[in-house]
Amino acid sequence: MTRLRPAVLVHYHEIGLKRGNRPLFLRHLARNLTRAASDLGPVSLRQLSGRILLDLDANPAPERVRDRALRVCGVASAALAYRVPSTLDAMKAVVGRLIEGRKFASFRITARRAFKTYPMTSMELNRELGAFVLERVPARVDLHDAELEIHVEVLPAETFVYTDPSAGPGGLPVGASGTVAALLSGGIDSPVAAWRMMKRGCRVLFVHFHSVPYLPATSQAKARALAARLTEWQYDGHLLLVPFGEIQREVVLTVPPPARVVVYRRLMVRIAEALGRERGALALATGESLGQVASQTLENIARIDEAAGLPILRPLIGMDKLEITAEARRLGTFEISIEPDQDCCTLFVPMHPATRMSESEVRAAEARLDLPRLVAQGVAGATLETFEFPARAHAVA
Ligand code: ATP
Ligand code: MG
C-alpha cells in the first residue's frame, strides 16, 4: 500500500481583503505559520490560489502542525489533507484509506476543481467517489447534513483529499496591522482585549503596572503567565513591568478619594503611551467594557482618552462579562486571571469612586501633581521581559 503523503491545507477568508493588502497579508500569514510549527520538524510552505499548503512529507507530527496552524490568526480553517496524483484511481485509494474503520451513517463528497480543464466535472467526481464509498460502507449520501464530508480539491499537478476541517481564529495575521501597547492587568478582561487586537493583526506589547513593594509580587507573576500564554499567538512577546506603588502614594497625598481611580488610569495611560511610542506602538488597548465598573462610564472613558495622545482601543467595549469570560476560557487565560491577587488598583482605592467626572474636576484633581515627573519615573522604572513560542531551536555545534 502506498504511504499517505500528509499536508495541512490552510484556508483564509479573502472577503474584506483589499487587493493591495493581499500580498502583505499572505507574507505575514506564511511567516507566522512557519514560525508556529518551527519546533515540530520540516514544513515546506506553498501558496496555492486562495489557500496555503504546508507540505509535511518529512514531518513526524502532522496532527500537531495542524493544531498549531489552527491557532494562527488569519487562518479561517485548517485540515490535515492527503496528497495524491490527480487520477481517479489515486483519489479512490486515499478516500478508501480515510473511511477505513470509521463509522458514519451519512456522508457527502465535495469535489472542487481549481482548474476547469480537468477531464471530469466536480459532479462526475462526486458521483464516482460517492459510489466508491457506497460499495464499501453501509452509509447513505446526505448532501445537506452529512456526518462525514470528504473534500476533494483537484489542482493541475495533484489532488488534496481531507475530512474534518476545523475553524481557526480568522482575522488577520499578527504583524499585518502594526504594534499596540496593551495595558495588561491580572484580571480577566485585559488578556482577552490583547488577544482581540492580535486577531486584528496587531503585534501587542504588554504593559503591566504593579505595586511592589506595597503589595506582594503576585500580580507580576500573573502578568508574566498571561504574557507567556498570549505569546502563543504572536511568537515573540515583550512585557514591561512598571512600578506604580510610589506614584500611587503621591496621588493619595493630594487627590481626593473619589477622583483617584480616574487619575490612576490617566497616569497609566500616559506612561504606557511613552513606553509604547519608544517601541513603535501606534495605539493603546485596554480591557474596558462599557458600564462594567465605576471607571468605565462614558464620562470617565472620555477623561481617560483626554490623557492620551494615541488612540485608546477598547475591543471589549460592547461585550458582556459572560462573553468575555467564555473567550478567556477558550484562550486559557481564565485560569491564570482568577488566581487570587491584589491588583495595584485595590491599593489606595476609595470605596465609592466618582462615576462621572468632568474635565474640570479631573484637572483640579491633578493640579498638584507633577505629572511629567511621575510619568518619567514610571518610564524609567519599567523593566522588560521577553517571551517566545515555540522556543527557538538553538543551533547545536
Ligand atoms: P481587567 O479584568 O482587565 O482587570 P477590570 O474589569 O478589572 O479589567 P478596571 O480595573 O477598570 O477593569 O481596568 C480597566 C483596564 O485598565 C483593564 O482592562 C486594563 O487594560 C487596565 N488596567 C487596570 N489595572 C491595570 C494594571 N495593574 N496594569 C495594567 N493595566 C491595567
Ligand atoms: Mg482589573
Side-chain angles (χ1 to χ4, degrees), residues 183-185 188-190 209 265 286-287 292 295-296 343-344:
L183 280 78
L184 188 70
S185 70
I188 293 168
D189 305 335
S190 47
F209 294 85
R265 207 63 87 224
T286 72
Q292 199 186 82
S295 62
Q296 299 175 14
D343 186 61
C344 70

Side-chain angles (χ1 to χ4, degrees), residues 5-14 17 19 22-23 25-27 29-30 33 44-56 77 79 81-84 86 112-115 152-162:
R5 298 177 63 200
V8 167
L9 201 54
V10 170
H11 287 252
Y12 48 85
H13 294 304
E14 285 184 276
L17 269 189
R19 268 206 105 60
R22 192 169 309 161
F25 172 94
L26 288 174
R27 206 163 53 240
L29 185 57
L33 283 164
S44 87
L45 187 141
R46 232 188 318 143
Q47 311 261 3
L48 307 174
S49 81
R51 56 219 123 159
I52 292 178
L53 177 79
L54 309 180
D55 175 344
L56 302 177
S77 74
Y82 296 96
R83 306 164 58 186
V84 291
S86 292
R112 250 193 312 229
R113 299 171 309 161
F115 70 117
V152 179
E153 299 203 7
V154 186
L155 276 66
E158 57 188 346
T159 292
F160 300 99
V161 182
Y162 62 93

Side-chain angles (χ1 to χ4, degrees), residues 345-364:
C345 295
T346 59
L347 186 68
F348 314 126
V349 160
M351 295 288 286
H352 303 289
T355 50
R356 290 167 205 284
M357 286 188 75
S358 69
E359 217 178 328
S360 56
E361 283 169 329
V362 88
R363 281 226 199 83

Side-chain angles (χ1 to χ4, degrees), residues 187-216:
I188 293 168
D189 305 335
S190 47
V192 175
W195 185 82
R196 285 272 171 138
M197 296 316 303
M198 291 177 187
K199 189 183 155 180
R200 291 314 300 166
C202 293
R203 178 163 293 292
V204 174
L205 168 71
F206 308 110
V207 184
H208 175 70
F209 294 85
H210 65 83
S211 302
V212 174
Y214 300 98
L215 288 176

Side-chain angles (χ1 to χ4, degrees), residues 29-338:
L29 185 57
R31 192 204 51 213
N32 293 351
L33 283 164
T34 306
R35 180 71 201 281
S38 57
D39 61 332
L40 299 177
V43 174
S44 87
L45 187 141
R46 232 188 318 143
Q47 311 261 3
L48 307 174
S49 81
R51 56 219 123 159
I52 292 178
L53 177 79
L54 309 180
D55 175 344
L56 302 177
D57 266 349
N59 192 291
E63 279 94 0
R64 293 187 65 201
V65 174
R66 188 245 347 250
D67 293 345
R68 289 278 176 83
L70 285 172
R71 295 176 53 175
V72 174
C73 295
V75 170
S77 74
L80 189 54
Y82 296 96
R83 306 164 58 186
V84 291
S86 292
T87 67
L88 192 56
D89 282 347
M91 293 178 206
K92 284 181 179 170
V94 72
V95 168
R97 289 280 290 275
L98 285 177
I99 61 173
E100 218 171 66
R102 243 184 117 141
K103 295 224 180 324
F104 50 94
S106 62
F107 74 100
R108 66 166 289 166
I109 308 280
T110 305
R112 250 193 312 229
R113 299 171 309 161
F115 70 117
K116 302 298 174 195
T117 53
Y118 189 72
M120 292 176 78
T121 65
S122 306
M123 285 300 278
E124 287 167 341
L125 282 168
N126 287 342
R127 234 176 281 132
E128 284 279 347
L129 295 170
F132 174 83
V133 174
L134 287 170
E135 281 165 20
R136 277 158 188 78
V137 288
R140 65 193 158 77
V141 173
D142 184 339
L143 295 183
H144 303 292
D145 189 26
E147 211 175 293
L148 179 69
E149 183 169 3
I150 303 170
H151 301 262
V152 179
E153 299 203 7
V154 186
L155 276 66
E158 57 188 346
T159 292
F160 300 99
V161 182
Y162 62 93
T163 59
D164 314 298
S166 308
L172 301 173
V174 169
S177 306
T179 301
V180 303
L183 280 78
L184 188 70
S185 70
I188 293 168
D189 305 335
S190 47
V192 175
W195 185 82
R196 285 272 171 138
M197 296 316 303
M198 291 177 187
K199 189 183 155 180
R200 291 314 300 166
C202 293
R203 178 163 293 292
V204 174
L205 168 71
F206 308 110
V207 184
H208 175 70
F209 294 85
H210 65 83
S211 302
V212 174
Y214 300 98
L215 288 176
T218 39
S219 85
Q220 291 185 52
K222 286 173 72 175
R224 247 178 229 126
L226 289 167
R229 173 59 52 92
L230 291 168
T231 297
E232 291 179 21
W233 283 271
Q234 67 171 22
Y235 322 112
D236 288 294
H238 298 279
L239 169 67
L240 285 158
L241 295 165
V242 184
F244 201 60
E246 207 55 61
I247 295 172
Q248 285 180 293
R249 251 171 40 92
E250 285 201 36
V251 169
V252 167
L253 294 179
T254 64
V255 175
R260 284 178 198 162
V261 173
V262 170
V263 169
Y264 292 152
R265 207 63 87 224
R266 282 163 60 97
L267 277 160
M268 284 186 182
V269 157
R270 291 182 180 104
I271 295 167
E273 174 170 346
L275 290 166
R277 281 187 190 273
E278 286 174 1
R279 289 163 183 81
L282 300 175
L284 305 177
T286 72
E288 287 156 313
S289 150
L290 191 61
Q292 199 186 82
V293 293
S295 62
Q296 299 175 14
T297 59
L298 285 178
E299 288 84 353
N300 287 352
I301 283 174
R303 299 297 84 78
I304 295 167
D305 277 359
E306 282 152 11
L310 289 176
I312 302 179
L313 306 176
R314 297 179 171 88
L316 311 188
I317 198 70
M319 286 175 80
D320 296 342
K321 193 74 185 185
L322 278 177
E323 295 170 307
I324 298 170
T325 302
E327 188 144 301
R329 284 185 195 278
R330 269 199 304 281
L331 297 173
T333 55
F334 183 78
E335 289 69 23
I336 304 168
S337 295
I338 58 170

